[in-house]
Structures are given as structure tokens and as C-alpha cells.
Amino acid sequence: EDDPKNTYIYKELLESEGLDLMCLENLLENVSDYYGIIIQNEVDFLIIDYHLDKQVKYKGIDVLKAVREYDDTIYSILLTNYDLEDFKAEFGEYDYEISKKEFSIQYKNIAEKIKRACELREDNKLVSLMESKKNKDDQMISLLEEINSKLKKDQG
């Protein structure tokens, strides 16, 4: 969001629903730099204004596209007062578009969607971690079986 007044409103509304928001006061020069901030701050959801022309030359959809190159599971809300039908095909399953006016009216529903998306993301991280551990365990078992087989050959 390139308007601090709007950022304050969104922050107050969502924090009243138990969500913690980190807001950028100044937008970044390069859209690809946003993902570094997301990783560094362990961000689970994004609220992006489509029109950012008060501070930068790119659009919010460009930020979303750059983030999607690295991660397609972060829930994102693209705010706009314009029709975004042309971009619907570029949205992922975790992307949501709403007008700024509707956001202020539906913030409780939006907060619930964000919470569910964050829980799903956390569950997916846990599943991924468990699968990674299982793969390492399977590799270790294979290695031990190979060593055991060689020892039996050497003894026989």
C-alpha cells in the first residue's frame, strides 16, 4: 500500500481480529526484493495494493508475480478499486482480489480467510518437514542395508 492512511486502517482492522501485520513504510525499488523480506520476516500472507504509483512505477500485480516465482502458497489479497478480470488467470489458489471499500466492510471475513490460509500453510510446512525426514530415514536405512549386505559378503 502506498498510502499510509490506508495502511493504518488495514492494520487496525485486522489486528482487531487477532492478526499481526507488518507494514512497509517505503516500497522497494525492485519487485524481486520483496521475497527476501517475506523470508526474513516469516510472512504468511500479503496485502498488496494494485496501484502503487504514489511511491513506485510498478503495480501490485508485479509484486505478486515476483513473489509467485518463489512461493505459490503465501495467501495474498490484492486491493484495488478497479476490475481485475484480465489478471484472474494469473492468480493462484491462494490469491484473492477485493476492492478497498469492500475490504473495510468485510474485514472480519477476510481475517478468517487469512487465518485459515495461514493454518493450511503451517500444516503444509509440517507435512513437508515430515516427508523430508522420512526421505532421510529411508536413505539411512538403504545405506545401512547396503553396509550390512557387504559385511555379510565379506564374512561368507
Side-chain angles (χ1 to χ4, degrees), residues 2-154:
D2 59 352
D3 185 340
K5 179 181 74 175
N6 288 344
T7 302
Y8 176 78
I9 291 168
Y10 306 145
K11 186 173 176 64
E12 289 294 310
L13 289 173
L14 292 178
E15 285 185 349
S16 74
E17 296 301 310
L19 295 171
D20 184 30
L21 258 63
M22 178 191 120
C23 301
L24 296 178
E25 288 183 27
N26 296 308
L27 300 178
L28 305 176
E29 286 185 38
N30 190 338
V31 293
S32 62
D33 293 338
Y34 283 97
Y35 192 68
I37 290 175
I38 290 168
I39 294 299
Q40 182 180 10
N41 294 285
E42 298 179 6
V43 173
D44 288 319
F45 70 95
L46 307 170
I47 299 174
I48 306 169
D49 184 8
Y50 180 78
H51 288 281
L52 302 171
D53 50 358
K54 290 179 184 173
Q55 286 190 27
V56 293
K57 294 181 185 196
Y58 55 82
K59 297 185 181 324
I61 194 77
D62 299 323
V63 174
L64 182 56
K65 287 178 190 177
V67 169
R68 289 289 173 250
E69 288 182 23
Y70 299 100
D71 190 335
D72 63 353
T73 65
I74 295 173
Y75 184 69
S76 68
I77 299 172
L78 193 62
L79 298 172
T80 186
N81 291 321
Y82 302 93
D83 184 24
L84 293 181
E85 283 301 316
D86 295 341
F87 298 104
K88 292 280 187 191
E90 297 180 41
F91 286 176
E93 70 177 295
Y94 298 104
D95 300 329
Y96 179 65
E97 165 255 324
I98 191 167
S99 73
K100 291 180 180 185
K101 179 180 168 185
E102 281 297 307
F103 185 93
S104 297
I105 295 168
Q106 296 188 27
Y107 73 93
K108 289 184 183 220
N109 292 336
I110 291 168
E112 289 306 312
K113 286 182 181 184
I114 291 170
K115 289 175 187 176
R116 284 193 306 272
C118 290
E119 288 171 7
L120 179 61
R121 184 172 164 80
E122 200 58 38
D123 290 348
N124 288 341
K125 285 182 189 176
L126 184 57
V127 167
S128 179
L129 183 64
M130 289 171 55
E131 287 174 353
S132 175
K133 178 162 178 14
K134 184 184 178 318
N135 288 341
K136 287 180 183 176
D137 289 348
D138 289 347
Q139 289 173 353
M140 183 61 76
I141 289 169
S142 279
L143 182 60
L144 289 172
E145 287 173 345
E146 185 179 323
I147 291 170
N148 188 36
S149 176
K150 287 181 180 180
L151 287 174
K152 284 183 179 180
K153 284 182 183 177
D154 288 346

